[in-house]
Amino acid sequence: MADSSTDEADGPSDEAVVNTASEAAEGLVLSRFKQSDVRDLDVTVTFEDGVLEVDVYLNAPDADADLDPEQVADDAALAAQDAVDELFAESE
């Protein structure tokens, strides 16, 4: 059965993993920057064969000088991974 949904015993569906990761990454970025300061935000998440890949591109040229957009993008990718780890832990 090649289905994107899985039984609870097998863990969350691929779609749930991707959505969880995307929401976590975007949420972290928007918790640190005002939406009006973010010119472009692109969160790309793939989950295939049990491998999670998260890429975050952030362009925030008008942001507070104390915040490094590259560091925030890295933190957002880590937040996405953490959120997925929690999702799997909940499904055990």
Side-chain angles (χ1 to χ4, degrees), residues 30-50:
L30 295 178
S31 75
R32 298 202 184 159
F33 290 105
K34 290 188 281 184
Q35 192 167 359
S36 61
D37 289 339
V38 176
R39 185 170 293 163
D40 189 19
L41 173 60
D42 182 36
V43 178
T44 304
V45 179
T46 58
F47 184 68
E48 296 178 7
D49 300 323

Side-chain angles (χ1 to χ4, degrees), residues 38-86:
V38 176
R39 185 170 293 163
D40 189 19
L41 173 60
D42 182 36
V43 178
T44 304
V45 179
T46 58
F47 184 68
E48 296 178 7
D49 300 323
V51 177
L52 177 69
E53 290 188 27
V54 180
D55 292 314
V56 179
Y57 169 77
L58 173 62
N59 182 0
D62 300 327
D64 185 346
D66 292 338
L67 292 173
D68 177 16
E70 284 187 39
Q71 183 60 54
V72 172
D74 289 345
D75 292 348
L78 291 173
Q81 293 170 353
D82 289 345
V84 169
D85 287 346
E86 288 179 27

